[in-house]
Amino acid sequence: MNRSRALSLLFVVGSSLSCLGCGSSEEAAPAAPPPAAPRPPPVDALEAAMRAREETDAFALTPYEPPFRATLEEGDRQTFSAVLRDGFCYKLLAQSADGVADLDLFLYDQNGVLEQRDAREGPHPVLGGERPICPQEPGIHRAEVRMVRGHGAVLAQWYVNQSL
């Protein structure tokens, strides 16, 4: 490339760069994304207590699917399913009302194989805290809530590492 051609190219590039701020501010600023829809308020004290735990037990995670609700007596168990997608990591939190001393969670993969269980004693189990739940392929996962000691209302909520 000859010298005059190189200087011409530098002049064009330099003029373009110097005019990056030219024009109206509407042209230069990209449009802001629409604000995320606010979550509806909690429907009861159980859901409010669950949301209070989100800062510690589900930090930077987004609720996934509607929460599961049940009222259980000691020894009862209930199951519910969720489609977990590959490329995401999940946590499952359970919240229980007064009167519940020990609640357990179990997670089964799409083949019915036990994948995780809550090993802690207490009324507020968590799955995915010690070992992330990150499916390698999408599939229906079954969660089981077991009332070990006590009785009362329970709520279980899935959380995901980003909004889908």
Side-chain angles (χ1 to χ4, degrees), residues 48-60:
M50 174 70 82
R51 287 191 187 185
R53 292 176 56 200
E54 290 176 354
E55 282 297 313
T56 54
D57 290 337
F59 181 73

Side-chain angles (χ1 to χ4, degrees), residues 30-42:
R39 286 169 71 186

Side-chain angles (χ1 to χ4, degrees), residues 61-62 64 83-91 115 132-138 141 158-164:
L61 300 177
T62 303
Y64 178 70
V83 174
L84 303 185
R85 297 174 44 192
D86 57 326
F88 297 93
C89 292
Y90 300 84
K91 266 189 171 182
E115 191 172 351
I133 302 166
C134 305
Q136 298 301 307
E137 56 186 54
H141 286 68
W158 279 106
Y159 292 88
V160 66
N161 65 341
Q162 59 184 342
S163 59
L164 300 175

Side-chain angles (χ1 to χ4, degrees), residues 71-77 95-106 117-125 145-154:
T71 301
L72 303 174
E73 295 295 322
E74 193 165 308
D76 285 351
R77 57 183 69 188
Q95 182 72 34
S96 56
D98 293 340
V100 176
D102 190 14
L103 185 69
D104 284 345
L105 281 176
F106 296 81
R117 76 170 278 183
D118 171 61
R120 300 179 310 163
E121 186 172 323
H124 311 300
V145 181
R146 291 183 190 173
M147 182 68 68
V148 179
R149 283 193 337 269
H151 60 86
V154 297

